[in-house]
Amino acid sequence: MMKRARALWAATIVCAFSAAASAEPLSLRYSATWGGGAAADIRLYLDERDGRFHNRLDLETVGLARWLSGFRVSATSTGQTEIDEVAPLVFDAIYDSRRKRDKRIKLQFVPLPGGSVAEEGPENTSTDPAIAEEFRRDVLDPLSCITAVRRLVRDGGVAPGKTFTLAVYDGKRRFDVEGTVKAVERLRWGKSTIEALSLQLLLRPVAGFDGETDDGYKPDAHTREMHVSVTNDRRAIPLRLSVPIAYVPAVVVLDRDTKL
């Protein structure tokens, strides 16, 4: 259950990739279900202004998922938004569950000539060795990806017929996020109709994933396919995400009381 909760948290991060740039900070609330049952409450805060960004995500399991795992996570990411790139500085995530208390991943992005490398901070609680430096060069943490895609949306880099790829490192695993706009849809939201983009996101493992089980299945290292709907405007607010976790669908939905 712990791994499934972590997978849900990762899926939620990718859902947040689709938030577009806005002059005002965004404070959003989501609910998640897994197999049709309540799984988690999620809060997302995004702020980008004055050449810097600050993002925060809080996820806490509810219902049966909370009783089984007690999983929750709070994560922040800060960095700079240069003219042609997003440069994360610090990523800090604290995990908690019934089995493991106060697990922490902290990454510091050290400048290099022409790029950067993600290094572990002294606060890290993991005893696993870091993956090779080549996989930690010029990467984004999961939350700074939100800001990177905000820039893509602002510059017209996310649109029907266009694709994008981001290199992501979460402190343990390195993967690529490949995004494609599949369709433009009209959706009912409250008493109004809104236009939304339907995105397909593929998470392709690169390094740091668990190996195969005896039957050849890689529970952590297979490509995940997600489907995300976002408002088709400069805010590009994430509306809905669906992704299979352990072959069971997980769905993350924006609070229906949110005014769009």
Side-chain angles (χ1 to χ4, degrees):
M1 192 67 192
M2 173 68 170
K3 285 189 176 181
R4 293 168 187 170
R6 288 179 64 107
L8 178 60
W9 130 255
T12 304
I13 288 290
V14 175
C15 175
F17 288 171
S18 307
S22 172
E24 295 296 327
L26 296 175
S27 184
L28 305 168
R29 181 174 180 176
Y30 298 82
S31 60
T33 60
W34 184 63
D41 286 334
I42 302 152
R43 291 183 180 274
L44 176 66
Y45 177 80
L46 306 172
D47 188 4
E48 181 187 348
R49 48 189 164 176
D50 301 326
R52 298 182 65 85
F53 70 88
H54 174 78
N55 302 332
R56 180 183 176 96
L57 184 140
D58 296 289
L59 181 150
E60 185 167 1
T61 50
V62 299
L64 181 61
R66 181 173 183 174
W67 184 79
L68 291 173
S69 70
F71 180 81
R72 61 184 178 181
V73 60
S74 292
T76 60
S77 178
T78 58
Q80 298 174 331
T81 51
E82 306 295 343
I83 295 176
D84 58 350
E85 66 178 8
V86 173
L89 296 175
V90 178
F91 172 70
D92 196 1
I94 299 176
Y95 304 83
D96 199 23
S97 69
R98 295 190 185 282
R99 288 187 176 183
K100 298 179 180 180
R101 299 290 184 182
D102 298 327
K103 300 292 290 183
R104 189 171 185 178
I105 294 175
K106 187 168 186 179
L107 298 177
Q108 298 172 335
F109 294 82
V110 180
L112 296 174
S116 66
V117 62
E119 298 285 5
E120 293 184 356
E123 301 88 348
N124 272 21
T125 59
S126 175
T127 57
D128 295 332
I131 61 175
E133 182 178 310
E134 63 181 291
F135 298 117
R136 294 182 283 112
R137 283 179 174 266
D138 303 325
V139 295
L140 299 169
D141 64 79
L143 278 179
S144 66
C145 283
I146 302 172
T147 302
V149 175
R150 296 174 83 185
R151 298 295 294 266
L152 286 173
V153 173
R154 178 189 304 160
D155 298 337
V158 178
K162 293 186 177 181
T163 61
F164 62 89
T165 301
L166 300 173
V168 183
Y169 177 57
D170 67 2
K172 178 182 179 182
R173 296 163 297 187
R174 162 75 169 78
F175 56 93
D176 285 343
V177 175
E178 300 175 3
T180 305
V181 177
K182 304 299 291 184
V184 179
E185 304 172 320
R186 301 286 293 179
L187 302 175
R188 291 292 297 175
W189 188 268
K191 297 181 179 181
S192 61
T193 300
I194 61 174
E195 190 172 272
L197 291 179
S198 177
L199 306 177
Q200 179 189 61
L201 302 177
L202 298 178
L203 274 65
R204 297 193 183 277
V206 175
F209 288 78
D210 293 342
E212 294 182 352
T213 58
D214 292 339
D215 61 2
Y217 174 65
K218 296 183 178 181
D220 268 352
H222 67 293
T223 298
R224 292 186 184 273
E225 180 177 331
M226 303 180 185
H227 293 274
V228 182
S229 294
V230 302
T231 58
N232 190 21
D233 54 29
R234 283 188 61 82
R235 300 170 304 161
I237 296 175
L239 301 172
R240 185 179 187 275
L241 171 143
S242 63
V243 57
I245 298 176
Y247 304 109
V248 178
V251 180
V252 179
V253 180
L254 179 67
D255 189 334
R256 296 293 297 189
D257 291 333
T258 304
K259 295 183 179 180
L260 299 180

